[in-house]
Amino acid sequence: MKSFVTLFDETYDQPDCRSYYQMVHALGYRNHFHAIPLFLDILSQLKERRGLRAAQVLDFASSYGIVAATMRYGVTVTEFLDRHQSPEIDALGPEALARDDRGWLGGRGMRAARDRYLGMDVSEAAIAYGVASGVFDAGSAEDLAAAVPSADLAARLAEIDLIVECGSVAHLMGAATRRLLDATAARKPWIVTSPVRGNERAEVFALLRARGYHVETCGLPPFVHRRFSDAAEQRRAIEIAQAAGHETDAFEAGGAFYAQLYLARPVAEADAPITFGSTP
């Protein structure tokens, strides 16, 4: 498959989150701003539908945990990113920054203290930092695209109620999705993703439907993911979005990647529409 995003590996596998969040800030990432309020609305309605006092949430392709942090704690994406641009934290080493982040997040309070968050990413450093900073209750650096989950991870996945994925290049790629669905079959979690347009996987949607899920966009429009890093990236993105059947003149041609929210619910639980407090 042709690559259509610029990868920033040098920022992604550092012992703390600063370089990654500074890159997110510098390139104007907006996916989190749009998607996370929608994720929270979906989580609330999942809990109501299933009568859950507490939910187990998997942050898939989590990186250092910005999605889990802003879903879990009383902090906005803007506040979270601004904090990690501050020169006040420059002198802190990775362990000290993790402790400082844990204290800062704890001081903001939790939205729902009983909910639990599991981080999953291929970056061991990102997962370790997310756990140390209090973003995740537990984390896994296993790669489900390459292998079945370990016994420990499989046990954790069996308890998951909601899977969230925000703008990942992977977009729950086929093998990983099959293994996730196998491990979570008894609980059948809701799954909500916000992939970049053109990066959706038809085989993933087909697999979800074959496993008894209804997949929908909930009537929501596409929203900005981030601006392009250069003209070559824009050309690749337009080509691939068009190949996937998207009209790009009102979207990618304007200078940014666009993302789309997709929600997968078991067919029996997809009878009532999701309502949102805001739209992108």
Side-chain angles (χ1 to χ4, degrees):
M1 177 180 171
K2 185 177 180 181
S3 175
F4 76 111
V5 297
T6 301
L7 299 178
F8 302 96
D9 294 338
E10 69 276 10
T11 67
Y12 188 61
D13 202 24
Q14 299 297 312
D16 67 58
C17 62
R18 275 173 289 207
S19 294
Y20 180 74
Y21 290 140
Q22 287 165 10
M23 179 270 294
V24 166
H25 185 271
L27 287 177
Y29 275 77
R30 305 299 298 176
N31 198 323
H32 306 94
F33 290 82
H34 298 300
I36 291 170
L38 306 178
F39 292 178
L40 286 168
D41 287 337
I42 289 168
L43 174 59
S44 175
Q45 288 165 79
L46 164 64
K47 290 167 72 173
E48 181 177 359
R49 177 64 187 255
R50 293 191 171 182
L52 300 174
R53 295 182 64 200
Q56 302 273 347
V57 180
L58 170 66
D59 186 354
F60 181 87
S62 60
S63 74
Y64 295 87
I66 188 172
V67 174
T70 49
M71 288 184 69
R72 186 173 199 179
Y73 293 96
V75 59
T76 67
V77 173
T78 298
E79 290 170 329
F80 194 82
L81 291 178
D82 284 351
R83 166 178 167 76
H84 293 94
Q85 318 308 309
S86 171
E88 296 177 3
I89 64 173
D90 285 349
L92 300 177
E95 292 182 3
L97 181 57
R99 290 193 298 271
D100 204 61
D101 273 350
R102 179 183 284 270
W104 179 73
L105 288 168
R108 304 304 298 267
M110 289 186 172
R111 299 184 193 277
R114 293 187 179 92
D115 291 347
R116 293 291 177 265
Y117 285 80
L118 172 66
M120 177 179 290
D121 198 278
V122 296
S123 169
E124 294 183 5
I127 289 297
Y129 192 84
V131 173
S133 61
V135 171
F136 305 132
D137 294 286
S140 169
E142 297 180 35
D143 182 0
L144 294 189
V148 298
S150 66
D152 179 69
L153 177 57
R156 295 184 188 279
L157 291 175
E159 298 179 346
I160 294 296
D161 301 294
L162 176 67
I163 298 171
V164 299
E165 180 272 327
C166 188
S168 166
V169 174
H171 182 230
L172 299 175
M173 294 173 76
T177 303
R178 285 194 298 275
R179 289 165 178 150
L180 275 177
L181 294 177
D182 288 344
T184 60
R187 207 163 184 90
K188 239 177 162 51
W190 292 13
I191 304 168
V192 58
T193 72
S194 56
V196 174
R197 293 188 344 138
N199 198 37
E200 309 95 333
R201 298 289 189 270
E203 66 270 24
V204 169
F205 294 144
L207 176 59
L208 287 165
R209 294 182 181 109
R211 295 291 187 98
Y213 280 86
H214 173 74
V215 182
E216 59 184 315
T217 63
C218 301
L220 296 172
F223 48 84
V224 171
H225 172 68
R226 70 159 167 85
R227 63 178 175 269
F228 296 118
S229 61
D230 55 39
E233 187 178 62
Q234 182 176 20
R235 287 194 298 272
R236 292 196 303 273
I238 289 174
E239 290 172 3
I240 293 177
Q242 289 176 344
H246 298 299
E247 186 279 317
T248 59
D249 287 348
F251 300 101
E252 290 80 5
F257 285 110
Y258 275 75
Q260 177 70 61
L261 181 133
Y262 293 92
L263 172 64
R265 293 181 284 173
V267 170
E269 295 179 315
D271 53 342
I274 296 293
T275 59
F276 297 101
S278 62
T279 56

